Amino acid sequence: MTSTLPRVDTASAAAPQRRRRAPGWLAVVPLLVVTVIAFGIPALAMLNGAFTVKDQATGATSYTTANLTDSLQGAYLTALLGSVKLSALSAALATVLGLFLAQAVVTSRFRALRDAVLTASGVLANFGGVPLAFAFVATLGNSGVLTQHLGLKDAGWDLYSFWGLTLVYLYFLIPLMVLTITPALEGLRAQWREAAQNNGATHAQYWRHVALPVLTPSLLGGFVLLFGSAFAAYATAAAMVGSSVPLVTLQIADAISGNVLVGQENVALALSLDMVLVAGLVMAVYLPLQRRSARWLA
Amino acid sequence: MARLNPWRWVVFGLAALYFLVPLGASVIFSVDVNDRITFGAYSQIVSTGGFVSSLVLALELAAATIVLVLLLMVPAMVALRLGAPRLRPVVEVVCSLPLVVPPIAFVAGISTVLKWGPDYLSRTPFFETIVAIQNPDFPFVLVLAYVVMALPFVYRALDAGLRAIDVPTLVEAARSCGANQTQALLRAVLPNLRGALLNASFLTLALVLGEYTVAHLLGFQPFAVWIVDVSGSQAQMSVAVSVLSLLVTWALLLALAALGGRSASSRTVSRGKTTS
């Protein structure tokens, strides 16, 4: 690690000696070395661990797909599906609600309001994790302000549930959607709407046949991005619900902390691999969609 | 034509309700003791054990991460524009990969590697390295993890900054005026990247200060972990700390928006991913 840092300096210091052509790639080397150490080794360790089992009696390790099979069964499968369900639902809700909010912002005549909403979205999309969980516990938790004043508990409200978690996730997902979709909405040309109107289309027809088809790649791209965010979320759920809602991130955390049966540690790595595959899939969908929407709305 | 539209006000009203109520309720929750307003929870924070040390640790980690990630990324990104354009896709892929690996999976990998220490490496010099980077006073392993997690944001911030200036021409011009390569980089290129550097630093700062997953699971206690740890016994204070940390994050990001102009959209995209 430390040995790679000074090379940054030598790279720029060596440059003046070779007057014109500085060895440019030399400046990239430290970055690559650190990434290989800090990212590559843990990633390979995870991959390797996901496919190995250690025999408790002999201590010998062997390669197997048993961990992966285990990670797709029983409680682990429940957790994985729970995460997928929660992420898909909250991402879908946030996509729709974010679209409405963004459309209201984009068509607003008040520049100040618009800027305020966009800045607030930037802040709130970053407002994940522990503070968010506590803000909602203070609001809608068992002794939360709203829970007590409105008597929500008798009405059957429970923040520490699937729906409670969905409500909390929307808090950072909707702003994220507003930020993602605003450029696309701004790209919708006024001429398209006028052309549709001149041809006798109603408001609804314009949206159904013109605006939504153009927006579809951006909306889908935004959805998978939101899905990925919700899927990877851990701190909010951990600080809020503990393990009352089955989520794959909570399962992995349990396993890392040693709260599982002996010999099951590598199942956590297999679960991590499952997560990476899902996240990889999300990115594989997102990037082409982003490119396509850029083509339309450039 | 965009006129005064009732549905727009419904949308704004509902959004304001949803986003402001939890904030207001948190403030009320943290100052309301048996229907009397008191700021005890806020004044308690400072005197509670672990507050100062966890905050200092978080700030130290943030400073180290910012320095390291900028030292790694700035020369690399500038070099991509000057002399090594062919490495561009490589760097782009390397800086995007952390997006595909959720923090929890990343930390699962890290903890596996750290376990190799006692298991396989106890007789090699690597063992001491592994022990040293886990020093609870300054866990360097967290800095390494945060550098990796910050790469996508720093890449985007710097890329946006570099896109706005023509690096080769700038260096050419500086050299025509008699500067050598180092001077050209330090006195012509870097000042023009000031906004992007600030942007990248603020993003990294926000990321490190809010990070819970990796630090918690590796057993260290910077600020975000400390809040959760004290919340079990003192709910009111933990909400107070959350309100404070929120205000600080807001101030930071608003300052960023003011300094860096409107580039808020690109960087936020994966923050939810990393901390939430």
Side-chain angles (χ1 to χ4, degrees):
Chain A
M1 242 321 300
T2 38
S3 67
T4 60
L5 275 180
R7 292 174 102 165
V8 178
D9 301 355
T10 48
S12 46
Q17 289 160 13
R18 306 197 186 178
R19 302 283 305 170
R20 290 202 85 78
R21 291 218 161 235
W25 54 268
L26 213 58
V28 185
V29 171
L31 172 70
L32 297 182
V33 170
V34 170
T35 329
V36 165
I37 293 173
F39 183 72
I41 296 180
L44 285 180
M46 185 192 73
L47 199 62
N48 180 53
F51 287 105
T52 48
V53 281
K54 193 171 185 178
D55 194 304
Q56 290 305 317
T58 60
T61 56
S62 55
Y63 283 92
T64 169
T65 53
N67 297 321
L68 274 184
T69 321
D70 283 351
S71 78
L72 297 173
Q73 279 172 1
Y76 297 118
L77 181 66
T78 314
L80 200 58
L81 291 179
S83 275
V84 169
K85 213 167 79 178
L86 177 66
S87 317
L89 179 72
S90 45
L93 282 173
T95 305
V96 175
L97 298 174
L99 176 65
F100 277 114
L101 186 54
Q103 173 67 10
V105 168
V106 166
T107 55
S108 168
R109 286 175 307 156
F110 301 108
R111 183 94 206 153
L113 179 71
R114 208 189 115 99
D115 286 351
V117 172
L118 286 178
T119 309
S121 297
V123 174
L124 289 173
N126 286 301
F127 180 40
V130 177
L132 175 65
F134 285 145
F136 267 88
V137 168
T139 313
L140 289 163
N142 277 338
S143 55
V145 175
L146 278 191
T147 320
Q148 295 205 323
H149 282 276
L150 303 179
L152 290 175
K153 203 160 188 189
D154 301 326
W157 169 251
D158 178 15
L159 178 69
Y160 315 100
S161 65
F162 181 84
W163 286 102
L165 215 48
T166 308
L167 187 75
V168 177
Y169 276 23
L170 288 180
Y171 204 86
F172 61 85
L173 290 178
I174 293 177
L176 195 53
M177 190 64 198
V178 170
L179 292 177
T180 315
I181 202 71
T182 300
L185 285 174
E186 279 171 344
L188 290 180
R189 314 246 159 86
Q191 291 94 318
W192 298 345
R193 180 189 292 267
E194 285 158 14
Q197 274 169 351
N198 288 342
N199 287 320
T202 63
H203 201 69
Q205 280 174 322
Y206 161 72
W207 272 98
R208 227 187 100 206
H209 296 293
V210 180
L212 279 182
V214 173
L215 287 178
T216 303
S218 311
L219 282 173
L220 276 177
F223 170 78
V224 291
L225 194 69
L226 266 49
F227 178 88
S229 279
F231 191 67
Y234 165 72
T236 313
M240 210 176 83
V241 301
S243 52
S244 64
V245 178
L247 293 178
V248 63
T249 45
L250 299 174
Q251 287 273 3
I252 296 175
D254 267 359
I256 297 175
S257 322
N259 298 337
V260 287
L261 299 169
V262 178
Q264 294 276 296
E265 293 91 349
N266 283 358
V267 176
L269 297 175
L271 275 175
S272 304
L273 186 60
D274 295 342
M275 283 193 79
V276 171
L277 293 179
V278 173
L281 205 64
V282 163
M283 276 325 214
V285 174
Y286 172 65
L287 293 177
L289 280 176
Q290 202 191 28
R291 215 164 291 141
R292 175 177 296 204
S293 71
R295 192 198 311 158
W296 254 109
L297 298 165
Chain B
M1 273 306 292
R3 285 265 161 75
L4 251 185
N5 219 333
W7 75 264
R8 183 174 305 133
W9 294 110
V10 173
V11 170
F12 279 135
L14 288 178
L17 207 63
Y18 175 63
F19 287 105
L20 294 181
V21 165
L23 301 179
S26 305
V27 174
I28 294 173
F29 186 88
S30 62
V31 298
D32 178 14
V33 180
N34 301 328
D35 293 327
R36 277 187 46 237
I37 290 180
T38 160
F39 292 92
Y42 290 88
S43 51
Q44 259 178 33
I45 295 173
V46 184
S47 55
T48 304
F51 169 77
V52 176
S53 60
S54 65
L55 188 61
V56 167
L57 177 59
L59 290 173
E60 283 173 355
L61 288 171
T65 308
I66 292 171
V67 169
L68 185 53
V69 81
L70 289 183
L71 272 180
L72 291 173
M73 284 295 284
V74 174
M77 298 282 291
V78 171
L80 290 187
R81 308 261 158 174
L82 279 180
R86 264 175 303 163
L87 280 175
R88 209 186 145 102
V90 178
V91 173
E92 202 172 329
V93 167
V94 161
C95 292
S96 314
L97 273 180
L99 289 180
V100 182
V101 177
I104 190 99
F106 185 38
V107 73
I110 295 177
S111 73
T112 309
V113 173
L114 293 182
K115 270 187 227 145
W116 289 350
D119 285 356
Y120 306 110
L121 304 172
S122 44
R123 289 177 184 283
T124 65
F126 288 114
F127 182 62
E128 278 162 32
T129 316
I130 283 195
V131 171
I133 61 173
Q134 293 185 77
N135 176 7
D137 291 334
F138 187 76
F140 193 72
V141 62
L142 285 185
V143 175
L144 286 178
Y146 294 162
V147 164
V148 169
M149 287 160 68
L151 282 182
F153 315 111
V154 173
Y155 177 82
R156 274 191 235 178
L158 291 181
D159 192 51
L162 285 165
R163 205 172 287 238
I165 58 174
D166 185 353
V167 181
T169 311
L170 209 57
V171 172
E172 253 347 88
R175 302 202 54 173
S176 313
C177 296
N180 62 35
Q181 188 90 4
T182 319
Q183 284 172 326
L185 289 175
L186 289 179
R187 317 236 331 239
V189 177
L190 278 189
N192 276 299
L193 282 179
R194 206 180 58 116
L197 292 176
L198 272 174
N199 221 328
S201 313
F202 273 127
L203 289 177
T204 313
L205 181 65
L207 182 137
V208 176
L209 288 187
E211 208 287 326
Y212 172 78
T213 310
V214 176
H216 168 66
L217 289 171
L218 292 182
F220 301 108
Q221 204 186 42
F223 198 57
V225 180
W226 176 82
I227 300 180
V228 180
D229 289 352
V230 297
S231 76
S233 50
Q234 313 183 48
Q236 205 177 18
M237 196 177 76
S238 69
V239 173
V241 175
S242 297
V243 170
L244 275 186
S245 73
L246 176 68
L247 289 179
V248 171
T249 317
W250 275 42
L252 277 179
L253 291 168
L254 288 176
L256 171 66
L259 283 169
R262 285 255 339 110
S263 55
S265 50
S266 60
R267 61 157 196 262
T268 35
V269 163
S270 322
R271 257 295 278 171
K273 240 184 143 111
T274 47
T275 53
S276 13

